[in-house]
Amino acid sequence: MLPYSPEGNYAPPPAIDSLRRGVSTGEIFQAMCVKCDEFHNLHIDLGSCRGIIPREETALGLADGSTKEYAILSRVGKPVSFQVLAFDSTGNAILSRRAAQEEARRYFLSALRNGDIISAIIQNPADFGVFCDIGCGCTALMRIDRCCVSRLKTTADLFLPGQKLHAAILSVDDDTGRIELTGRELLGTWEENAGL
């Protein structure tokens, strides 16, 4: 089991003591995003205090343009992973989703090997494949020909956003940071499936 879980494995908001310790430990938490304000800061329900993820801390790749603004808006109403950077003078927790993603991505690129089986959560099915959250909002692609043993017109025929699944690592590209998944090999052969 990976030390970084996909966003969507929701748990109750962490206790304030844990959040305060998290400033020095760098622990990664997960809680519900309840709002995106006019400045594209995300507001997180922490129960005992307010959590704010400033726009520049909302996603890995936002600064260089590889992540689009709609990726921020799409987090509202969903659990997000984050690290606690600090508490401001009014007691608000200042959070970073980007830092959690950077830590998880470094781990994935160094530790994952072809054939490893991991848990993932479907983000968005498309005609060419499906993007999966493999931990802290880090994505991996499962191309349409790797989803099952039969032919599909679109991955939306098989998957829904938020669906949990197990997949195997097909490839990890250290240079580009891309991770590809496969599910086909976990399902048996066409003959085995046809015989059911």
Side-chain angles (χ1 to χ4, degrees):
M1 185 156 154
L2 297 177
Y4 303 95
S5 63
E7 291 179 327
N9 291 330
Y10 179 69
I16 188 71
D17 293 344
S18 297
L19 292 168
R20 290 197 185 280
R21 270 193 313 275
V23 175
S24 58
T25 64
E27 184 178 350
I28 295 174
F29 301 98
Q30 201 169 124
M32 187 66 73
C33 176
V34 293
K35 175 182 167 185
C36 180
D37 66 25
E38 65 271 21
F39 304 108
H40 286 190
N41 302 314
L42 295 178
H43 296 255
I44 309 302
D45 177 11
L46 297 178
S48 56
C49 68
R50 239 174 82 187
I52 299 170
I53 303 178
R55 180 195 170 278
E56 63 274 8
E57 297 294 330
T58 56
L60 189 62
L62 195 62
D64 66 13
S66 61
T67 298
K68 305 300 179 209
E69 291 288 327
Y70 67 81
I72 300 171
L73 298 170
S74 73
R75 299 318 308 160
V76 176
K78 298 175 184 167
V80 294
S81 298
F82 58 85
Q83 290 179 324
V84 183
L85 300 179
F87 282 84
D88 68 16
S89 58
T90 62
N92 294 326
I94 308 303
L95 314 173
S96 176
R97 182 171 177 251
R98 179 196 54 76
Q101 289 177 322
E102 280 181 347
E103 182 180 314
R105 178 152 300 279
R106 274 193 305 273
Y107 173 82
F108 294 146
L109 292 176
S110 68
L112 292 179
R113 301 289 175 254
N114 294 358
D116 287 350
I117 298 173
I118 63 169
S119 297
I121 293 180
I122 301 297
Q123 290 178 316
N124 15 350
D127 290 343
F128 58 88
V130 63
F131 287 100
C132 302
D133 178 347
I134 60 172
C136 295
C138 294
T139 59
L141 174 66
M142 186 185 312
R143 289 178 286 130
I144 193 167
D145 62 323
R146 292 288 177 179
C147 291
C148 66
V149 294
S150 58
R151 290 190 181 180
L152 295 173
K153 288 184 181 180
T154 174
T155 58
D157 292 341
L158 191 60
F159 300 114
L160 296 170
Q163 181 179 340
K164 297 177 182 182
L165 64 111
H166 287 91
I169 300 296
L170 181 65
S171 66
V172 177
D173 188 326
D174 294 329
D175 296 330
T176 63
R178 289 190 183 132
I179 299 169
E180 287 197 42
L181 304 175
T182 181
R184 189 171 66 193
E185 290 77 3
L186 303 180
L187 302 173
T189 65
W190 187 90
E191 290 84 7
E192 289 169 337
N193 285 283
L196 296 177

